[in-house]
Amino acid sequence: MCGEPRKELVGEKLTLSGWVARRRDHGGLIFVDLRDRTGITQLVINPERAAEAAELAHQIRNEFVLRAEGTLFARSGETVNEAMLTGEVELQVESLEIVSRSTPLPFQLDEENVDETLRLRYRWLDLRRDKLQRNIGLRAQMVGIIRREMESAGFLDIQTPILFKPTPEGARDFIVPSRLQQGRFYALPQSPQILKQLTMVAGFDRYYQIAICFRDEDLRADRVQELTQLDVEMSFPDQELLFELMERMYGRIWRECLGIEIATPFQRLTFEETDRRFGSDKPDTRYELELEDATEATRGSEFGVFAGAEAVRFLRVPQELSRGDLAKLEELAKEWGAKGLAYLVYDEEGEVRSPIAKFLSEDEHARFRGDPASTVLFAADAWETTSRVLGALRQHLARQLGLVDDATFTFLWVTDFPMFERDEEAGRWSAVHHPFTRPTKEWEGRFHADPKRALAHTYDLIVNGNELGGGSFRIHEPELQAQVFDLLGLSPEEQRVKFGFLLDALAMGAPPHGGIALGIDRMTMVLAGEPNLRDVIAFPKNQAGVDPMSGAPSEVTQEQLLELGIQLQEPQD
Ligand code: ASP
């Protein structure tokens, strides 16, 4: 392979095949950087040694495929290239074959800032770049480790269908019309959730799958419609065993892929605690910068905004922020739903500067007083809004203040999420995780009495503020499952139509079970330090759900539609 030749092989006859990364003519001598997945070797074509090869070499352009035979030589002192693994040697070519040619390239592989649509249109070229070769390689290495860990822990790889029924994970379904059952549709699974639960009822005990999940969501930079998950389920679930298995697996991935030892066991916090301390359910715990609560301290405040707010919380920033900084932060806070941004700035002498200072009592000042050259930022609003606003400011400020160490990875389990949330528009409750999640022991008999406060036996895994995935212990009692469906507003008829098969299965000897699913795409992003989710996926779609390479989704013929019994309407805007 092109990345392999070393000094020890000097004098050997070698044959290398690969792509032309670069060709340079140096008064007679022609140099070619020949590249494959493993690296680059320099070919030297000397017309005096190989006249035919030199003649042919004039036709060579970037990304032609060559086969070169020759002898490996050590490079002379000043031409050694320390930056290349093969930089001490070069192949003196004796015979050369152009195996395959390339039309002029739409972009050069070493060109920066190439438009993403163009890159996706010619993805086979784009994938030849170092960064993408590395990302896709890392992903494959990681999946290999995952499989080995899961199998050695006794988990069985069981494949579940892609054409199925809706499996609720909170997104819209992709649906596929059936030709044989006209007027009926399959849904692509948003996750194999129900199916993996059925493998437990079926007695398989420990299931895993590298599963593709389909979610028709509006796309953001870190979302795709076709995501890959490590999907796991176990009977008679043991949270410690599950957590340890994941911690061991991540430990090994980080060790083998990056050579980094991560700290285990991972820290554990409840949702209530992460929300209170960090204003987020997926906090970045590489730095402190924690939120503080001043709701009690401001109940009688003369500053009306504080006195009347459901919650008053604040963040201490170890810097005397300027007016300009504060204006920018206020804008950011408003994007997250704040009405404004109250602040107290302490200068070098500890003097306070703020339009609200005059409204605050001695006690309030005492509660907030910060070090000289620091700033206190407030959110006064509904509790959720204060979390959202201060959580976002915390993240933003950590970057601005240089508190984020990009070389460290801090993993965190967040547990005990609320079970339900109120969908105000629809006027009903919905499941925060999914409707098959069981309440915590304390809430088992009484979750219906106070759905807003009821907690679920759930856990999410977070690294550096990224949610890698999550899971839960499940309901295995048909009566309890029906009660949860009732609370979610599903009539008995709807329960039968949508989930009758699950309720029937739970009624025929279902073991207690629980599991987890972790996003492979997201994991690769974190592992590769790659900000663009699409660049850890070989053939992704763009933000509009289109594949610029193949043109998918595409139109179908009238005959196909007829066969399916489908008639198209004029598109509605
Ligand atoms: N099915 C869930 C998801 O895709 C994960 C789980 O509960 O195991 O998020």
Side-chain angles (χ1 to χ4, degrees):
M1 301 293 285
C2 296
E4 290 176 330
R6 296 283 187 282
K7 261 205 350 232
E8 296 71 53
L9 291 176
V10 164
E12 299 276 336
K13 278 217 181 293
L14 302 180
T15 303
L16 294 177
S17 300
W19 286 261
V20 175
R22 208 150 72 104
R23 188 198 78 174
R24 283 155 293 143
D25 288 10
H26 275 239
L29 289 183
I30 297 170
F31 294 89
V32 173
D33 284 347
L34 199 67
R35 183 199 71 236
D36 66 18
R37 191 164 73 79
T38 62
I40 285 181
T41 289
Q42 174 165 286
L43 309 181
V44 185
I45 305 162
N46 183 343
E48 286 169 17
R49 282 173 66 99
E52 231 175 89
E55 187 55 39
L56 197 61
H58 288 295
Q59 299 175 20
I60 291 173
R61 297 287 176 275
N62 280 359
E63 299 310 310
F64 277 27
V65 179
L66 306 183
R67 177 157 48 231
E69 273 179 43
T71 306
L72 199 69
F73 277 70
R75 295 199 202 179
S76 59
E78 72 280 9
T79 61
V80 166
N81 183 347
E82 306 254 346
M84 283 169 80
L85 290 173
T86 62
E88 291 185 309
V89 293
E90 59 195 14
L91 191 76
Q92 292 279 354
V93 173
E94 280 135 28
S95 81
L96 185 72
E97 185 187 343
I98 296 180
V99 178
S100 184
R101 291 165 191 268
S102 168
T103 50
L105 300 171
F107 52 84
Q108 294 301 322
L109 267 58
D110 57 3
E111 210 172 311
E112 294 199 9
N113 303 321
V114 180
D115 171 60
E116 195 181 24
T117 304
L118 192 67
R119 288 176 41 206
L120 292 179
R121 162 84 179 78
Y122 297 98
R123 190 61 163 176
W124 55 85
L125 278 183
D126 195 31
L127 283 168
R128 287 183 201 164
R129 293 161 178 264
D130 286 347
K131 186 178 84 165
L132 285 155
Q133 290 271 318
R134 173 174 177 266
N135 289 358
I136 302 298
L138 262 180
R139 183 179 175 126
Q141 189 185 358
M142 182 182 78
V143 170
I145 297 170
I146 291 174
R147 287 195 181 284
R148 286 193 290 279
E149 281 295 328
M150 294 311 294
E151 307 222 324
S152 69
F155 284 77
L156 240 58
D157 178 357
I158 303 177
Q159 200 176 340
T160 53
I162 295 298
L163 297 178
F164 195 59
K165 257 175 102 94
T167 44
E169 293 284 353
R172 219 178 259 122
D173 285 318
F174 277 102
I175 57 171
V176 178
S178 162
R179 177 180 62 84
L180 297 173
Q181 311 290 328
Q182 277 206 5
R184 290 170 170 248
F185 297 82
Y186 300 99
L188 307 183
Q190 291 185 32
S191 86
Q193 183 58 39
I194 300 177
L195 291 156
K196 70 173 169 177
Q197 291 189 232
L198 295 183
T199 66
M200 296 301 106
V201 182
F204 285 107
D205 195 52
R206 292 185 179 194
Y207 145 101
Y208 91 99
Q209 183 180 194
I210 307 288
I212 304 185
C213 305
F214 302 88
R215 300 181 185 179
D216 188 2
E217 312 194 83
D218 293 327
L219 297 170
R220 297 198 303 245
D222 65 345
R223 285 242 171 114
V224 280
Q225 294 178 318
E226 248 172 274
L227 53 134
T228 311
Q229 287 188 339
L230 162 62
D231 199 39
V232 178
E233 195 75 11
M234 74 180 291
S235 293
F236 308 103
D238 174 342
Q239 184 168 302
E240 293 309 311
L241 184 145
L242 213 52
F243 281 21
E244 273 170 31
L245 170 64
M246 294 299 133
E247 289 168 5
R248 190 164 64 242
M249 190 178 82
Y250 279 99
R252 188 164 161 198
I253 293 173
W254 255 254
R255 186 177 315 117
E256 290 181 21
C257 297
L258 300 180
I260 292 177
E261 280 305 322
I262 55 174
T264 54
F266 301 160
Q267 192 188 2
R268 296 182 196 184
L269 294 172
T270 62
F271 166 80
E272 187 278 322
E273 198 174 352
T274 55
D275 180 44
R276 181 164 43 77
R277 289 172 51 189
F278 306 105
S280 167
D281 58 358
K282 47 177 165 68
D284 192 336
T285 42
R286 282 175 295 181
Y287 49 88
E288 290 178 353
L289 210 65
E290 294 191 15
L291 277 50
E292 292 181 50
D293 193 344
T295 312
E296 284 309 310
T298 53
R299 285 309 72 181
S301 184
E302 278 183 36
F303 183 45
V305 174
F306 283 2
E310 177 188 313
V312 179
R313 296 161 79 194
F314 63 94
L315 200 57
R316 292 184 192 280
V317 185
Q319 196 177 71
E320 182 185 342
L321 296 174
S322 70
R323 271 181 209 289
D325 289 334
L326 289 162
K328 275 195 214 119
L329 292 175
E330 177 161 20
E331 226 162 86
L332 191 77
K334 284 183 173 167
E335 277 172 35
W336 289 96
K339 292 177 206 76
L341 182 66
Y343 57 83
L344 296 169
V345 178
Y346 301 94
D347 65 16
E348 298 280 352
E349 273 74 51
E351 283 301 312
V352 67
R353 171 164 59 78
S354 161
I356 67 164
K358 58 178 177 291
F359 300 110
L360 302 182
S361 65
E362 288 280 309
D363 284 351
E364 284 172 309
H365 275 293
R367 171 76 182 90
F368 303 133
R369 174 158 308 283
D371 295 334
S374 71
T375 307
V376 176
L377 299 174
F378 293 94
D381 218 306
W383 178 272
E384 283 86 19
T385 313
T386 60
S387 281
R388 213 169 45 234
V389 171
L390 292 179
L393 287 177
R394 173 179 180 270
Q395 233 183 325
H396 177 88
L397 284 160
R399 281 261 162 231
Q400 189 175 318
L401 299 170
L403 302 178
V404 190
D405 176 359
D406 280 315
T408 57
F409 295 91
T410 309
F411 287 78
L412 168 73
W413 291 108
V414 180
T415 63
D416 302 287
F417 282 79
M419 189 152 172
F420 305 103
E421 63 195 343
R422 189 78 189 158
D423 181 342
E424 289 302 345
E425 243 171 63
R428 55 179 156 76
W429 294 103
S430 63
V432 169
H433 190 50
H434 51 55
F436 319 111
T437 301
R438 71 182 306 113
T440 56
K441 276 245 166 340
E442 304 76 70
W443 284 94
E444 232 159 69
R446 59 187 180 101
F447 64 89
H448 13 51
D450 193 356
K452 189 174 163 53
R453 292 185 47 235
L455 298 178
H457 191 148
T458 42
Y459 30 80
D460 272 4
L461 183 58
I462 313 298
V463 58
N464 295 357
N466 295 286
E467 183 190 330
L468 292 177
S472 60
F473 279 22
R474 327 295 185 189
I475 298 167
H476 64 277
E477 308 89 327
E479 308 73 29
L480 180 58
Q481 186 62 76
Q483 282 173 12
V484 170
F485 285 151
D486 287 344
L487 195 137
L488 295 173
L490 285 176
S491 69
E493 297 72 42
E494 281 174 298
Q495 295 181 26
R496 278 296 339 145
V497 172
K498 292 188 173 162
F499 304 114
F501 67 111
L502 173 68
L503 293 168
D504 289 348
L506 295 183
M508 293 187 193
H513 55 286
I516 191 166
L518 296 157
I520 299 276
D521 313 288
R522 192 72 62 83
M523 243 189 267
T524 318
M525 260 175 106
V526 175
L527 196 66
E530 170 58 66
N532 183 348
L533 188 57
R534 289 181 292 280
D535 279 352
V536 296
I537 299 170
F539 298 103
K541 308 212 171 29
N542 69 12
Q543 301 239 25
V546 170
D547 170 18
M549 181 178 74
S550 67
S554 39
E555 289 170 356
V556 296
T557 63
Q558 200 50 41
E559 290 75 53
Q560 282 174 298
L561 288 176
L562 264 177
E563 269 179 353
L564 295 165
I566 289 179
Q567 196 176 11
L568 292 186
Q569 289 195 330
E570 285 300 308
Q572 305 165 332
D573 312 306

